[in-house]
C-alpha cells in the first residue's frame, strides 16, 4: 500500500529559535497582536510503499531519527495517512 | 618522510585549497585532497574537514556530508587517535557525525558573519592547540551563518570540567553557549572550530594568528606518526 507521510521537524523546547523570535517581533508591526511563542520548523512530505500503516510509520520514524532531525536540538512528529496522494499529508 | 595532511573535499567544500596552502606554508607538510567518495585515507597523518557548504547545506549543514563514504574512514582514523580537525562547515560535519558533541544553530542575530574576531585559547590539550598557551589571545576570521554552538547543560558541564572547550570568543558574535568557538573530544585528537585559522597564516594577508594552530596540528600529526595504526 501507498501512504503519505508528513514529518514535522521542530526545535526542542528550550532551544533558542532566532527565526521565531524575529517573526514574533515583526507581527505587531503588521497589526497582529497577542501572538506568543512563535517557533519555526521544517515540514518534509513524501509517499512511501509499505505493508501497513504501522510499518510506514516505523520507517518514517527511523528516517526522522537518523537523518531528518538532529536529536541534539530537534524533535520530529510523524503523521501517516493511507490515501497515498501527494498532497494528502498537508 | 614528510608529514602528510589529508584535506577532505565534499561537493560544496570551498576552503580546501586554503588549508592545503596553510599546512604547506606553516608546517612544511605535504597536503593532499581526499574526495568524499573515497573509503580509505591512504596513510595520511592527519585529516582536515574544511569549510564550505557541503551538499549545499541542504537539510542542515553537515547532515548529508556525514553519510559520505569517506566519513567512515575518518571515524575509524579518529577512533585510532589520528588528528582530525573540522573548520567551520567541517565542525558542523563532525557534530552531525557524532564525533563531537553539541550542534551548530543559526547565529543568534540571524546574520551571516564575515569578519575578524578576538578568540582566546582555553585549553592546550587538543592537537590544534598543543603548542599554544591557555589565555593567549588570537585574532581570527569567521565566516558563517550557522556557528551558534549549542548543547545541553550536562554536556556543557562535562566539556568545562574535562577541559574540552578549546577556544572561546572574547566578544561572542553568534550566541554560542559559554562563548564556545571550538571544542575537542575526550582524547583531544578530534577538534572542531568555527574560526578559519587557515586564512590567517600568511603575512601577505595581514594576519598570521592562525599559524600557531595550524603549526600545532602539523606537529601533532608528525609526532603521532607510527603511533597510529596505518590500516586506514
Amino acid at each position: 500500500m501507498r501512504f503519505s507521510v508528513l514529518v514535522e521537524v521542530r526545535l526542542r523546547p528550550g532551544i533558542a529559535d532566532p527565526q521565531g523570535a524575529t517573526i514574533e517581533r515583526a507581527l505587531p508591526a503588521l497589526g497582529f497582536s497577542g501572538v506568543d511563542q512563535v517557533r519555526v520548523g521544517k515540514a518534509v512530505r513524501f509517499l512511501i510503499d509499505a505493508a501497513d500503516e504501522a510499518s510506514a510509520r516505523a520507517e518514517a520514524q527511523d528516517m526522522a531519527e537518523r537523518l531528518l532531525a538532529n536529536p541534539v536540538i530537534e524533535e520530529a512528529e510523524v503523521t501517516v495517512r493511507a490515501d497515498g496522494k501527494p498532497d494528502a499529508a498537508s | 618522510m614528510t608529514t602528510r595532511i589529508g584535506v577532505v573535499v565534499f561537493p560544496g567544500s570551498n576552503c580546501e585549497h586554503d588549508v592545503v596552502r596553510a599546512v604547506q606554508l606553516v608546517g612544511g607538510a605535504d597536503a593532499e585532497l581526499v574526495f568524499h567518495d573515497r573509503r580509505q585515507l591512504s596513510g595520511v597523518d592527519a585529516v582536515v574537514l574544511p569549510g564550505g557548504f557541503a551538499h549545499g547545506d541542504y537539510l542542515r549543514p553537515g547532515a548529508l556530508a556525514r553519510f559520505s563514504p569517506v566519513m567512515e574512514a575518518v571515524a575509524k582514523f579518529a577512533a585510532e587517535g589520528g588528528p582530525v580537525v573540522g573548520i567551520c562547515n567541517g565542525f558542523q560535519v563532525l557534530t552531525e557525525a557524532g564525533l563531537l558533541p553539541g550542534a551548530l544553530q543559526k547565529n543568534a542575530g540571524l546574520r551571516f558573519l564575515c569578519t575578524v574576531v578576538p578568540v582566546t585559547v582555553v585549553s592546550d590539550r587538543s592537537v590544534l592547540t598543543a603548542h599554544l598557551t591557555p589565555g593567549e589571545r588570537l585574532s581570527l576570521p569567521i565566516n558563517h551563518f550557522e556557528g551558534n554552538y549549542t548543547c545541553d547543560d550536562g554536556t556543557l558541564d562535562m566539556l568545562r570540567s574535562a577541559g574540552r572547550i578549546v577556544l572561546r570568543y572574547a566578544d561572542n558574535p553568534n550566541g554560542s553557549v559559554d562563548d564556545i568557538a571550538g571544542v575537542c573530544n575526550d582524547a583531544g585528537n578530534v577538534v572542531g572550530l568555527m574560526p578559519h585559522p587557515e586564512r590567517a597564516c600568511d603575512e601577505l594577508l595581514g594576519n598570521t594568528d592562525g599559524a600557531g594552530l595550524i603549526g600545532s596540528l602539523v606537529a601533532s600529526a608528525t609526532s603521532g606518526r607510527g603511533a597510529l595504526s596505518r590500516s586506514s
Side-chain angles (χ1 to χ4, degrees), chain B residues 3 5-9 14-33 48 50 87 196-208 210-211 214-215 217-218:
Chain B
T3 301
I5 312 287
V7 183
V8 175
V9 183
N14 61 18
C15 298
E16 66 272 25
H17 295 291
D18 306 56
V19 175
V20 167
R21 162 98 179 138
V23 299
Q24 289 170 339
L25 189 72
V26 175
D30 280 345
E32 57 197 74
L33 300 179
V48 177
I87 301 169
H196 286 271
E198 80 280 12
R199 295 187 192 171
C201 286
D202 190 331
E203 279 173 20
L204 272 177
L205 299 178
N207 182 355
T208 55
I214 298 295
L217 170 64
V218 174

Side-chain angles (χ1 to χ4, degrees), chain A residues 4 10-11 23 28-29 39 44 49-51 64 69 74 77 81:
Chain A
S4 59
R10 49 185 171 239
L11 290 167
I23 290 168
R39 305 286 279 175
V44 183
D49 290 320
E74 294 170 329
E77 185 178 343
R81 287 193 194 172

Side-chain angles (χ1 to χ4, degrees), chain A residues 2 15 18-20 25 30-31 34 38 58 62-63 68 86 90:
Chain A
R2 184 152 254 225
I15 299 285
Q19 290 185 105
R25 281 198 302 274
L30 297 173
V38 176
D62 197 24
M63 290 178 209
L68 301 178
S90 57

Side-chain angles (χ1 to χ4, degrees), chain B residues 71-84:
Chain B
M71 286 306 294
E72 280 182 36
V74 171
K76 183 164 176 279
F77 182 75
E80 290 168 352
V84 176

Side-chain angles (χ1 to χ4, degrees), chain A residues 1-83:
Chain A
M1 268 182 80
R2 184 152 254 225
F3 297 88
S4 59
V5 177
L6 165 66
V7 181
E8 285 180 89
V9 180
R10 49 185 171 239
L11 290 167
R12 288 186 177 283
I15 299 285
D17 181 359
Q19 290 185 105
T22 303
I23 290 168
E24 197 168 310
R25 281 198 302 274
L27 287 171
L30 297 173
F32 297 103
S33 59
V35 179
D36 198 10
Q37 297 183 36
V38 176
R39 305 286 279 175
V40 176
K42 296 185 188 106
V44 183
R45 293 188 174 86
F46 55 89
L47 300 177
I48 186 169
D49 290 320
D52 51 43
E53 189 172 323
S55 54
R57 182 178 304 281
E59 283 272 286
Q61 201 72 47
D62 197 24
M63 290 178 209
E65 282 163 21
R66 288 171 56 195
L67 176 65
L68 301 178
N70 178 345
V72 176
I73 51 172
E74 294 170 329
E75 58 189 14
E77 185 178 343
V78 173
T79 308
V80 178
R81 287 193 194 172
D83 43 18

